[in-house]
């Protein structure tokens, strides 16, 4: 046996995450483990971090992203691949303007009073003050990303990539400016894409307004949830098949109080079952009406200013806020006898994703990307469609591929301009000498490129944040320059993100990556689900169920948080985070530590350990080595299939149950007796390898244990300094041992049967029980493992019969049948048989009464037909549970004779 010198310090009794995590993270950083070296002979593994907004703190969704991506990154790094996880942050135009504008409001100012230049100075002050906070929080989560390559969407490189993309698309005719109906936020003063609008069900009203026919022959009643928009009506529409309006199509109605007449048109977009069957058409303020207006050549009358007030087209209501105008218009219709009725009505209303203000559809001049049709192989959308349809990009889970393709089948041109000041300013300059002259350039021009006039002014708008984010996989690697990073690390390997931004971001990265580089941006899209609270509710500040990941780390440790977030999960499915789950994960970290502490203390007491496995291993040695190899294979397969939760479940079960609860306990028997080969080499081998298996998921505790293990091993100059650059284990087929696994399963079943009987009979913990084992053909197995059975079951004596011998069976005995094997516990002297019988019969009588009440309730039709189905199902489940308990009690009474 080789003794290691100098002798290492004893492992602390308790694992304290706060004493370990900062020290180890600094150790990893100082060693440069996070920064890959380009090796053209090896294929790299690359993840580009979804850039969190620079405006805020990490939330639990960021923590999930970090846990998943770091697990994948660490696993690939341990396989010897050059591994890049590139971090970054997003400038989040709307979000950061909201933050700074709130600060200004507290000072009695707004951005328009301050002016663009000074407002941007204030924004950059905020970014410089708080922009690094989210990186520091990421480091608390243990992320092993390459901080030397960190990017911000407003860094010089990404800015040049954005401007280059805009100019290239414009010159190809794929970017244009036009008037379209857009979603307008009156609070943020900007257009929004459809994806930036959240639709919520709102309890409102449905008003029925009467429009008199121009010829005086009557009136048409229209139903609307937005009476203020009647000011912009340019038609009334009915369905061509609606017999109620036969003869009215082609006539005109008068818009009350406006002295304007509009036609009645027939259009199949009208829902005959909605309201009165006739609808008001406001092309400038409703998407459906916009399409009707285009089909019928209607006028587009905008009635609203950009601040939500009624403009000059509003007649007597000009200058009113939209909400005030709504009330005034309804009152006017009512006073004139033109309000036919009003009723409560639930309907979907669009809200700004950022500030939650009700969005106003407005016709405005905006910049758009012409994405084309999904079935056009040369269009932006068509190329993105084919990349997934033909399998070049895999989406995990696969069901989201259909969702992605369906979205592209219905895609519209992308509105990319935002009426904000912070962000990538649109690189278009208008000529003061000729309004038709536009200069579109990457670098700021000094004069109009068409006429040479120096009277030019840049477009005031900025680009949609998702435009720059769509370039993230290649702009972060140096595009448009042909850098070594771009050549080596692009296309990237995996894009991991939430399913909720599949269209926002993933689709646009695919579109823009193919457009700019001619290649896909990544090979696999891994979509995780949402984290919900323990009741399954979505977390929100309004509900008060939001949890702060840093507070969880302070209480439970980083490893516990990461393990709780990712274990028991599967791609694309929502999961719940509860205190119970966090406590269980912390307990697992402590279990690892305590198991390691026992093993390493035993090594220290023995003066060291050889790494060589025993030439004649004991049954439990063969078993645990076989189980280790099988677990290694299963965990690796699960990781390869992106089933991280399943990999963790396998490792949890192996370490907690098989290694700690069974192998270590059996090893203790041998260590005490000194019989057979020492279990220390196997204890250490399995512990060291299991730490490497678990490292991607629980990096801190595994590194700390691993460091303490290798200090006690003979010196090896080839051993790495850190577990994170040690090789990830591979299965050893030579350790597969079906016979050992079968025999150990039988031994475990016998010991478990004895333990269960002790618990049910309420035998005192320190009391030894008599056991008879009718082993059938397995006598030799039980005889050779008698010490282990006696110690773990607290049984003495243990009498073993088999190979044709008749095992004595007392009248009063507890018998467990395990296939051909019987485990017999004589009850004489173990329990007071008479007292136990009385206790069991009393418990059974109480259970019979409860059963009778429950059966009567379920036989009552009034209950089963009127009570909620969930309540009835719960009661039926209780009935089955009570019946099973009663059967078990009766069996135990029968055992007593």
């Amino acid at each position: 046996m080789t003794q290691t010198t100098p002798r290492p310090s004893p492992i602390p009794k308790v694992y304290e995450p706060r004493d370990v995590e900062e020290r180890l993270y600094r150790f990893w950083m100082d060693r440069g483990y996070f920064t890959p070296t380009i090796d053209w002979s090896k294929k790299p593994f690359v993840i580009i971090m979804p850039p969190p907004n620079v405006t805020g703190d990490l939330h639990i969704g960021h923590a999930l992203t970090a846990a998943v991506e770091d697990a994948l990154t660490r696993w690939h790094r341990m396989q010897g691949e050059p591994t890049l996880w590139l971090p970054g942050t997003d400038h989040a135009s709307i979000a950061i303007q909201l933050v700074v504008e709130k600060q200004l409001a507290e000072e009695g100012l707004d951005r328009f009073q301050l002016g663009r230049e000074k407002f941007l100075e204030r924004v950059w002050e905020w970014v410089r003050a708080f922009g690094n906070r989210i990186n520091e929080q990421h480091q608390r989560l243990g992320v092993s990303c390459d901080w030397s390559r960190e990017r911000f969407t407003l860094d010089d490189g990404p800015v040049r990539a954005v401007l280059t993309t805009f100019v290239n698309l414009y010159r190809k005719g794929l970017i244009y400016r036009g008037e379209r109906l857009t979603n307008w936020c009156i609070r943020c003063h900007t257009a929004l894409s459809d994806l930036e609008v959240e639709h919520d069900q709102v309890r409102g009203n449905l008003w029925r307004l009467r429009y008199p026919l121009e010829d005086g022959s009557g009136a048409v009643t229209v139903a609307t949830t937005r009476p203020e928009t009647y000011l912009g009506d340019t038609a009334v529409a009915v369905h061509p098949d609606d017999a109620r309006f036969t003869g009215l199509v082609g006539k005109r109605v008068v818009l009350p109080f406006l002295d304007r007449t509009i036609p009645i048109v027939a259009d199949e977009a009208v829902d005959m079952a909605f309201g009165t069957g006739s609808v008001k058409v406001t092309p400038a303020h409703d998407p459906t009406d916009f399409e009707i207006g285009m089909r019928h050549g209607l006028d587009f009358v905008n009635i609203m200013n950009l601040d939500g007030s009624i403009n000059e087209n509003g007649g007597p209501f000009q200058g009113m806020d939209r909400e005030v105008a709504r009330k005034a218009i309804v009152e006017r219709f009512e006073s004139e006898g033109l309000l036919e009725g009003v009723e409560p009505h639930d309907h979907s209303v669009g809200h700004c994703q950022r500030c939650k203000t009700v969005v106003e559809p407005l016709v405005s001049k905006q910049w758009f990307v012409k994405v084309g049709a999904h079935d056009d192989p040369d269009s932006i959308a068509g190329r993105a469609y084919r990349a997934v349809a033909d399998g070049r990009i895999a989406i995990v889970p696969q069901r989201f591929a259909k969702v992605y393709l369906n979205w592209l089948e219905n895609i519209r041109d992308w509105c990319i301009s935002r009426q904000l000041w912070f962000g990538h300013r649109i690189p278009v300059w208008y000529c003061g000498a000729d309004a038709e002259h536009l200069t579109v350039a990457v670098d700021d021009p000094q004069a109009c490129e068409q006429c040479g006039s120096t009277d030019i002014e840049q477009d005031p708008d900025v680009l949609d944040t998702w435009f720059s984010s769509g370039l993230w996989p290649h702009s972060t690697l140096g595009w448009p320059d042909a850098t070594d990073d771009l050549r080596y690390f692009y296309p990237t390997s995996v894009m991991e993100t939430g399913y909720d931004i599949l269209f926002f971001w993933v689709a646009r990265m695919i579109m823009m990556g193919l457009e700019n580089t001619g290649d896909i941006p990544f090979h696999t899209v891994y979509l995780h689900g949402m984290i919900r609270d323990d009741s399954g509710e979505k977390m929100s500040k309004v509900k008060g169920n939001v949890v702060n990941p840093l507070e969880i780390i302070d209480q439970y440790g980083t490893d516990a948080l990461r393990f709780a977030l990712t274990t028991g999960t599967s791609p694309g499915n929502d999961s719940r985070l509860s205190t119970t789950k966090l406590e269980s994960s912390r307990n697992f970290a402590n279990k690892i530590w305590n198991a390691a502490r026992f093993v390493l203390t035993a090594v220290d007491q023995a003066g060291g350990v050889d790494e060589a496995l025993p030439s004649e291993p004991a049954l439990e040695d063969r078993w645990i080595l076989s189980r280790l190899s099988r677990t290694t294979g299963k965990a690796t397969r699960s990781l390869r299939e992106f089933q991280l939760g399943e990999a963790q479940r396998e490792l949890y079960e192996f370490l907690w149950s098989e290694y700690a609860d069974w192998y270590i306990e059996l090893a203790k028997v041998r260590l005490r007796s000194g019989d057979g080969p020492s279990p220390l080499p196997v204890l250490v081998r399995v512990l060291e390898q299991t730490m490497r298996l678990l490292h991607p998921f629980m990096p801190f505790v595994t590194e700390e244990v691993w460091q303490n293990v290798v200090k006690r091993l003979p010196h090896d100059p080839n051993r790495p300094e850190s577990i994170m650059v040690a090789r990830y284990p591979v299965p050893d087929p030579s350790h597969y041992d079906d016979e050992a696994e079968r025999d150990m399963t039988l031994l475990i079943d016998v010991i478990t049967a004895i333990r269960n009987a002790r618990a049910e009979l309420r035998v005192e913990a320190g009391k030894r029980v008599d056991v008879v084992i009718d082993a059938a053909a397995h006598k030799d197995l039980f005889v050779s493992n008698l010490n282990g059975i006696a110690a773990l079951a607290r049984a003495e004596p243990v009498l073993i019969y088999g190979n044709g011998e008749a095992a004595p069976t007392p009248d009063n005995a507890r018998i467990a049948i395990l296939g051909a094997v019987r485990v017999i516990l004589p009850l004489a002297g173990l329990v007071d048989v008479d007292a136990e019988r009385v206790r069991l019969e009393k418990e059974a009588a109480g259970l019979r009464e409860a059963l009778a009440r429950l059966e009567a309730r379920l036989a009552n039709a009034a209950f089963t037909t009127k009570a909620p189905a969930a309540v009835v199902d719960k009661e039926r489940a209780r009935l089955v549970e009570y019946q099973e308990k009663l059967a078990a009690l009766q069996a135990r009474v029968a055992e007593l004779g």
Side-chain angles (χ1 to χ4, degrees), residues 273-540:
F274 176 76
T276 63
S278 57
V279 297
K280 54 192 288 302
V281 181
T282 319
H285 295 280
D286 182 270
T288 302
D289 294 0
F290 181 91
E291 299 296 334
I292 294 175
M294 294 294 288
R295 283 195 291 272
H296 295 273
L298 301 177
D299 292 334
F300 285 65
V301 178
N302 176 30
I303 60 151
M304 204 166 292
N305 296 312
L306 298 183
D307 63 358
S309 63
I310 303 301
N311 65 17
E312 68 279 2
N313 292 321
F317 307 100
Q318 181 179 354
M320 294 182 183
D321 177 78
R322 58 181 176 172
E323 296 295 335
V324 175
R326 173 179 295 184
K327 184 177 179 182
I329 288 167
V330 170
E331 290 175 350
R332 185 75 180 272
F333 267 81
E334 186 174 22
S335 67
E336 298 290 334
L338 297 174
L339 179 64
E340 189 169 290
V342 58
E343 60 193 60
H345 180 69
D346 293 334
H347 60 125
S348 180
V349 177
H351 294 76
C352 173
Q353 186 188 49
R354 286 292 172 193
C355 72
K356 310 307 177 186
T357 302
V358 173
V359 165
E360 195 65 50
L362 289 178
V363 171
S364 59
K365 189 168 283 190
Q366 303 289 342
W367 288 95
F368 294 85
V369 174
K370 187 186 297 182
V371 295
H374 77 282
D375 54 359
D376 178 356
D378 297 322
S379 73
I380 291 175
R383 290 194 296 268
Y385 186 92
R386 286 204 321 280
V388 171
D390 65 17
R392 280 177 291 150
I393 296 176
I395 298 181
V396 179
Q398 201 275 333
R399 69 178 185 273
F400 280 100
K402 288 185 179 179
V403 179
Y404 168 91
L405 295 174
N406 182 65
W407 181 74
L408 281 174
E409 288 166 6
N410 297 281
I411 195 171
R412 296 192 297 179
D413 285 355
W414 174 14
C415 175
I416 57 170
S417 49
R418 298 291 180 269
Q419 287 65 52
L420 303 169
W421 288 351
F422 183 62
H424 300 95
R425 194 166 177 180
I426 289 176
V428 175
W429 284 259
Y430 304 103
C431 180
D434 189 330
E436 297 297 316
H437 290 180
L438 299 183
T439 300
V440 181
V442 172
D443 298 314
D444 290 3
Q446 301 303 310
C448 173
E449 65 180 8
Q450 295 184 49
C451 69
S453 171
T454 57
D455 181 14
I456 57 174
E457 184 176 353
Q458 188 173 1
D459 192 302
D461 294 350
V462 300
L463 288 164
D464 176 13
T465 300
W466 298 104
F467 188 89
S468 56
S469 298
L471 314 181
W472 199 236
H474 55 281
S475 68
T476 51
L477 296 173
W479 188 92
D481 294 331
T483 63
D484 283 348
D485 273 7
L486 185 66
R487 284 195 295 267
Y488 186 64
F489 293 116
Y490 189 90
T492 65
S493 307
V494 176
M495 173 46 63
E496 192 281 337
T497 189
Y499 65 68
D500 54 325
I501 55 174
L502 178 62
F503 311 133
F504 267 123
W505 191 38
V506 175
R508 282 154 179 181
M509 284 188 286
I510 296 172
M511 288 192 287
M512 304 310 282
L514 286 164
E515 172 66 27
N516 282 345
T517 72
D519 204 347
I520 56 175
F522 29 72
H523 297 285
T524 302
V525 177
Y526 176 105
L527 299 173
H528 64 246
M530 293 175 61
I531 299 294
R532 298 179 178 273
D533 68 12
D534 55 358
S535 300
E537 292 289 328
K538 184 177 179 180
M539 292 187 182
S540 71

Side-chain angles (χ1 to χ4, degrees), residues 133 218 271 293 343 372 391 421 436 439 493 553 570 586 635 643 659 709 732 741 749 776 778 785 832 840 853 871:
R133 181 172 58 188
D271 180 358
E343 60 193 60
W421 288 351
E436 297 297 316
T439 300
S493 307
I553 288 173
S570 57
R586 179 179 59 188
Q643 296 291 343
Y659 181 66
V709 170
D732 185 346
E741 292 192 39
D749 287 346
H778 303 287
N785 289 278
D832 183 330
L840 291 174
R853 289 193 299 270
V871 173

Side-chain angles (χ1 to χ4, degrees), residues 167-205:
V167 171
N168 289 346
L169 289 172
Y170 179 82
R171 288 175 179 166
K172 288 181 178 181
L174 296 175
I175 280 183
Y176 65 92
R177 193 178 188 221
E179 285 197 336
R180 294 288 186 277
L181 191 70
T182 56
N183 305 294
W184 183 265
C185 177
I186 63 170
R187 163 62 186 81
C188 298
H189 295 282
T190 185
L192 305 172
S193 72
D194 291 343
L195 293 175
E196 292 168 302
V197 178
E198 294 180 343
H199 288 85
D200 300 321
Q201 282 297 116
V202 173
R203 169 55 62 95
N205 289 316

Side-chain angles (χ1 to χ4, degrees), residues 597-785:
R597 185 169 176 270
F598 166 77
V599 172
L600 299 180
T601 300
V603 169
D604 291 345
Q605 290 171 347
V609 63
D610 278 334
E611 290 189 84
L613 297 176
S615 57
E616 296 184 8
L619 170 63
E620 59 265 32
D621 296 337
R622 293 162 48 210
W623 169 72
I624 198 66
L625 290 169
S626 181
R627 293 299 306 136
L628 175 62
S629 270
R630 293 194 197 280
T631 301
T632 300
K634 289 178 180 177
T636 302
R637 185 162 54 253
S638 294
L639 278 165
R640 197 176 293 125
E641 295 171 356
F642 296 97
Q643 296 291 343
L644 277 67
E646 179 60 19
Q648 288 173 100
R649 188 194 65 78
E650 292 280 354
L651 296 172
Y652 178 95
E653 293 293 335
F654 173 79
L655 192 141
W656 188 297
S657 179
E658 295 177 326
Y659 181 66
D661 285 356
W662 288 106
Y663 183 72
I664 285 181
E665 293 306 310
L666 288 167
K668 288 178 181 178
V669 177
R670 284 160 60 195
L671 287 170
R672 285 195 296 265
S673 68
D675 295 338
S678 170
L680 285 178
V682 177
L683 280 166
V684 171
R685 170 77 65 90
V686 176
L687 177 64
E688 188 275 337
Q689 184 166 324
T690 308
M691 290 305 96
R692 285 187 280 136
L693 286 169
L694 267 171
H695 179 71
F697 310 107
M698 305 179 83
F700 290 112
V701 68
T702 53
E703 177 76 276
E704 188 72 356
V705 167
W706 189 84
Q707 293 289 350
N708 276 282
V709 170
V710 298
K711 285 176 187 174
R712 290 161 170 82
L713 297 177
H715 177 67
D716 180 354
N718 296 318
R719 182 177 290 123
E721 286 185 307
S722 168
I723 191 174
M724 71 177 291
V725 288
R727 293 309 294 261
Y728 199 75
V730 295
D732 185 346
S734 70
H735 286 160
Y736 292 153
D737 194 327
D738 292 340
E739 180 184 41
E741 292 192 39
R742 283 195 302 269
D743 288 348
M744 270 301 298
T745 297
L746 188 53
L747 280 177
I748 289 170
D749 287 346
V750 166
I751 294 168
T752 301
I754 300 170
R755 288 174 170 177
N756 290 344
R758 291 178 61 104
E760 291 174 4
L761 296 169
R762 302 183 181 184
V763 178
E764 295 175 4
K767 186 173 183 176
R768 299 274 167 173
V769 298
D770 294 354
V771 173
V772 176
I773 300 177
D774 184 355
H778 303 287
K779 180 177 180 180
D780 292 345
L781 168 66
F782 291 115
V783 169
S784 61
N785 289 278

Side-chain angles (χ1 to χ4, degrees), residues 833-891:
V833 174
D834 292 335
E836 181 67 5
R837 184 185 295 110
V838 169
R839 186 187 71 79
L840 291 174
E841 288 178 343
K842 183 178 180 181
E843 187 177 342
L847 203 51
R848 287 190 191 96
E849 290 178 8
L851 258 173
R853 289 193 299 270
L854 198 51
E855 286 170 341
R857 191 178 193 196
L858 288 169
N860 184 350
F863 169 71
T864 55
T865 57
K866 294 180 181 179
V871 173
V872 176
D873 290 343
K874 186 176 181 180
E875 292 297 79
R876 285 174 175 153
R878 283 178 62 204
L879 179 68
V880 173
E881 179 187 349
Y882 285 3
Q883 290 169 338
E884 291 174 348
K885 282 185 176 179
L886 182 60
L889 283 173
Q890 291 170 335

